[in-house]
Amino acid sequence: MRIKVINPNTTWSMTETIAQAARAAVSPGVEIEAVSPAHGPVSIEGHYDEAMACLGLLDEVRKGEAEGADAYVIACFGDPGLDAAREIARGPVIGIAEAAMRSAGYLATGFSVVTTLQRTVVIAEHLLDKYGARAQCRRVRACEIAVLELENPASDAYRTILAECRRALAEDGCGAIVLGCAGMADLCRRLSGELGVPVIDGVAAAVATAEALVRIGLGTSKHGDYASPLPKPYTGLLAPWAPGD
Ligand code: 2AL
């Protein structure tokens, strides 16, 4: 089984962190191919970054279909391009926010999300509504750490995130923490050990979900809105990405 994990930002050091977390979460024999698109934002911290990241992300799904990938994980907490990716994929496509929010719901009656910048909080809140998880989420908290600061050992991001998680547990009435960025994947185990509650990294949750769905023979529905996109010409720069027939 081959799961293609797409980090939709173009920071390959973060893609490597994501790959390690993904490989640690799947069964022996499951192959993880972790990639970043050739073109796109170095980090995703808002609606514009998300929109601009989608083309490269979808191109990676297109290539994955040609190469026979069994499933995909979108490794960015805004789940950018998730529905579009499902239109062009046969296998399951799992977003890390959806996987983390659903997994947290199995483990505690309430969870809080600890994410990067305040401006990304609304993105997580929109996803809570989309996934029907709003009632289980006590609060979405920002640490005011820029995504690329997670890659900088001098930033002391771990301490800042740990302190925000402690505030969440003290103030929010939550029983679990969802990490709100793929770049936090390598911090999950340490945080969980220090906090003594389930800490959910969406990368691990998403690859485990993808593996389980493939193993039981399930793929993305092609009935209704996840059917293949209607064939038509695209114009200008986007002409090469026109859906074929
Ligand atoms: C993210 C993420 O997971 N990757 C990225 O570049 N931005 N999400 C976030 N809330 O900062």
Side-chain angles (χ1 to χ4, degrees):
M1 185 192 310
R2 189 151 57 84
I3 302 174
K4 185 165 184 175
V5 178
I6 305 166
N7 170 19
N9 77 41
T10 58
T11 299
W12 276 87
S13 56
M14 189 170 289
T15 309
E16 193 44 49
T17 301
I18 290 166
Q20 282 176 18
R23 289 190 182 112
V26 293
S27 305
V30 176
E31 188 192 331
I32 297 290
E33 183 196 3
V35 299
S36 278
H39 307 279
V42 294
S43 62
I44 299 169
E45 300 174 317
H47 309 295
Y48 185 82
D49 290 343
E50 276 201 358
M52 296 302 277
C54 283
L55 190 56
L57 163 83
L58 293 170
D59 202 36
E60 290 300 330
V61 177
R62 272 168 50 118
K63 286 193 263 174
E65 287 302 283
E67 292 160 7
D70 294 299
Y72 303 86
V73 164
I74 298 179
C76 173
F77 201 77
D79 292 353
L82 180 61
D83 290 312
R86 285 176 176 161
E87 281 189 38
I88 58 171
R90 288 175 302 249
V93 186
I94 312 296
I96 66 167
E98 183 172 14
M101 290 169 182
R102 297 204 191 288
S103 298
Y106 296 134
L107 306 171
T109 53
F111 63 86
S112 286
V113 178
V114 173
T115 189
T116 54
L117 299 179
Q118 182 63 38
R119 65 178 297 159
T120 71
V121 165
V122 71
I123 295 175
E125 288 175 343
H126 286 163
L127 293 179
L128 288 164
D129 289 332
K130 179 178 174 183
Y131 303 141
R134 179 72 93 161
Q136 290 174 306
C137 183
R138 299 287 172 260
R139 191 166 158 187
V140 182
R141 290 171 167 267
C143 298
E144 285 309 322
I145 296 173
V147 170
L148 293 186
E149 283 301 288
L150 295 167
E151 297 294 286
N152 172 11
S155 73
D156 209 15
Y158 178 79
R159 290 281 134 211
T160 309
I161 294 164
L162 178 66
E164 198 61 39
C165 291
R166 286 202 202 284
R167 276 193 286 277
L169 293 171
E171 297 170 12
D172 301 351
C174 62
I177 301 288
V178 165
L179 298 178
C181 182
M184 297 177 181
D186 56 335
L187 310 180
C188 182
R189 194 173 294 261
R190 196 171 154 205
L191 285 168
S192 188
E194 281 203 58
L195 294 166
V197 299
V199 177
I200 297 105
D201 156 41
V203 174
V207 291
T209 303
E211 179 188 338
L213 292 174
V214 172
R215 192 177 316 116
I216 60 176
L218 296 175
T220 299
S221 173
K222 291 296 136 193
H223 180 83
D225 61 302
Y226 284 157
S228 299
L230 297 174
K232 70 189 69 166
Y234 283 12
T235 57
L237 281 176
L238 296 190
W241 285 275
D245 45 11

